[in-house]
Amino acid sequence: MNNKYDVIIIGAGPAGLECAHQLKNSDKSVLIIEKNEIIGPKICAGGLTNLANNFYIPENKTRSFAKQIIFLNKKQYNITLVNPIKTISRLDLGQYQLSKIKNSRNIQILKNTKVKEIENNKVFTID
Ligand SMILES: Cc1cc2nc3c(=O)[nH]c(=O)nc-3n(C[C@H](O)[C@H](O)[C@H](O)COP(=O)(O)OP(=O)(O)OC[C@H]3O[C@@H](n4cnc5c(N)ncnc54)[C@H](O)[C@@H]3O)c2cc1C
């Protein structure tokens, strides 16, 4: 493959996909290169901080934990959180982020392709 792009994003993790989302329908041609076939899965607790509100993830894709039980010195403490802890599976997060940029006229995604080297504005890959 020998093409020119304004922006090449290496890695379709949360950062790369959000970066592409910010460029959606802009005048920049964007290529995302991801080494894996499936976008999303990762060893991760999937905890979402309040900053993740900026991603507008639909509630039905997340789980909320409002109650915490702590055992300490043989005593049980029941805590109800004002701001419940939210989690999401990384596969669901990746696929949700992907859905937001699918069919964008200026964004292409190259999966199953690992970046080997970057040199003088050129990105070299291993298929
Ligand atoms: C055990 C564990 C638990 C965690 N729990 C939480 C949590 O609860 N909440 C939270 O917010 N964060 C958690 N994190 C941190 C979170 O996983 C990272 O902050 C987040 O994944 C960073 O996103 P990213 O897009 O920068 O990188 P990544 O998610 O690492 O994405 C990078 C992408 O680039 C691809 N890639 C890498 N190298 C190449 C290459 N050479 N060529 C092509 N593609 C490439 C990878 O396949 C991957 O898809 C946890 C992390 C770990 C390890």
Side-chain angles (χ1 to χ4, degrees), residues 55-113:
F55 283 14
Y56 301 104
I57 301 167
E59 286 292 322
N60 65 359
K61 298 207 179 296
T62 63
R63 291 176 69 198
S64 285
F65 300 90
K67 291 191 185 339
Q68 304 281 305
I69 301 173
I70 296 174
F71 294 93
L72 192 65
N73 292 336
K74 297 181 182 165
K75 279 190 182 165
Q76 179 179 327
Y77 300 88
N78 297 315
I79 297 171
T80 302
L81 300 169
V82 180
N83 296 308
I85 293 173
K86 263 191 191 177
T87 65
I88 187 168
S89 100
R90 286 295 293 263
L91 176 61
D92 287 351
L93 176 62
Q95 294 299 309
Y96 166 66
Q97 288 189 278
L98 199 57
S99 73
K100 293 204 292 182
I101 56 168
K102 246 185 191 164
N103 306 324
S104 309
R105 54 176 171 72
N106 61 324
I107 303 173
Q108 264 185 279
I109 303 177
L110 197 58
K111 294 189 281 185
N112 258 335
T113 306

